[in-house]
Amino acid sequence: MRLLGTGAPADLAIRHAAWVARCVGHGEAAPLGPADVEALAATLRTRTYERGAVLFRGGATAEGVWIVQRGRVELSVGAGRRRAVVYVLQPGNVEGDIQHLLDMPLAYTARALDEVTALALDAASFEKLLADHPLIARRWLSSVAQRLATSQSRIIGLLGRSLTEQVARLLLDEAVDGEVPLPQRTLAAMLGVQRPSLNKILKEFERAGLIEVRYAAIHVLEEAKLLAISG
């Protein structure tokens, strides 16, 4: 509303565009003007997915960009016992842009863990936005760099760690307001281990008063102690 210079309530598309702008990069580095926000609003499309629905499949061409607005999306590779969860997208997370920019196939399959609402940009609209609006391009570049740095840091943080240290680190990374909203099967897949191995460590943490295991979620009670365990 401040960008539009009006006291009237912004319409839904403008609100979506302003929210997406906050999700990609830092506003201080490249503040968007009214024309940027309006262009972004004109290209966003809302898509909804039922729980269990596939947003896209590994090996496919990136048809555009997805920004999760509500719900969670699981990114996984492989199948059966070889299946591994790469990441769980939360509201505000972006996906598909890096693969599109690098002209590479999607490396994993995305599946809705809940009812999901996503804001989508098709490939042509995304390219036009970046070409016609340098500030949007600058913001998006910042978002890409931040996500790659986070992934790199996460991988480095797990190298050479014991499974106990990895579990502690994963719980801290996935906690949202002290709650890890993921079932144990998903956490086990993210670590590439069998569920009984994970469950044993979680029980040790629970007996020590560090966490509370709930149905399809884990409540973190002692963040500082988990951080010490994670190394």
Side-chain angles (χ1 to χ4, degrees):
M1 288 171 61
R2 179 182 60 79
L3 289 171
L4 295 174
T6 174
D11 62 26
L12 184 60
I14 290 294
R15 292 201 300 273
H16 283 171
W19 179 78
V20 169
R22 291 196 299 272
C23 294
V24 290
H26 301 288
E28 299 81 5
L32 303 186
D36 300 310
V37 176
E38 289 172 0
L40 186 55
T43 56
L44 289 170
R45 298 292 180 267
T46 301
R47 297 182 182 178
T48 58
Y49 302 88
E50 295 181 354
R51 181 179 180 181
V54 173
L55 282 70
F56 55 81
R57 294 190 180 277
T61 300
E63 298 177 351
V65 181
W66 292 263
I67 304 97
V68 180
Q69 188 180 33
R70 283 192 294 272
R72 298 167 300 156
V73 177
E74 176 187 271
L75 305 180
S76 64
V77 296
R81 294 177 67 87
R82 292 182 175 273
R83 178 175 170 274
V85 177
V86 179
Y87 195 68
V88 175
L89 300 177
Q90 306 283 351
N93 287 160
V94 183
E95 191 54 56
D97 50 350
I98 295 175
Q99 293 83 357
H100 172 72
L101 291 169
L102 296 179
D103 193 24
M104 60 186 292
L106 294 158
Y108 29 67
T109 295
R111 185 174 283 101
L113 290 177
D114 318 293
E115 290 186 359
V116 168
T117 301
L119 299 177
L121 282 162
D122 63 67
S125 298
F126 181 56
E127 287 283 358
K128 183 172 175 57
L129 265 180
L130 298 186
D132 295 348
H133 298 269
L135 291 177
I136 292 179
R138 174 66 178 81
R139 286 280 281 272
W140 221 288
L141 175 62
S142 166
S143 172
V144 168
Q146 185 178 35
R147 278 178 276 143
L148 290 176
T150 299
S151 296
Q152 183 183 54
S153 176
R154 186 169 189 165
I155 292 171
I156 292 174
L158 292 176
L159 290 175
R161 307 280 184 180
S162 68
L163 183 56
T164 297
E165 291 171 327
Q166 291 184 44
V167 172
R169 182 71 267 169
L170 182 63
L171 293 177
L172 292 172
D173 287 344
E174 296 300 325
V176 179
D177 295 328
E179 193 89 3
V180 181
L182 299 172
Q184 290 185 36
R185 62 177 178 80
T186 298
L187 293 172
M190 294 176 78
L191 291 167
V193 301
Q194 295 299 310
R195 183 172 173 177
S197 299
L198 171 67
N199 186 256
K200 178 182 177 181
I201 293 173
L202 292 178
K203 285 183 177 179
E204 291 174 358
F205 286 174
E206 189 168 37
R207 283 195 295 269
L210 307 182
I211 62 172
E212 180 185 352
V213 178
R214 301 174 179 172
Y215 176 72
I218 295 171
H219 183 57
V220 175
L221 301 174
E222 294 287 351
E223 182 177 336
K225 291 182 179 179
L226 283 177
L227 184 60
I229 292 172
S230 71

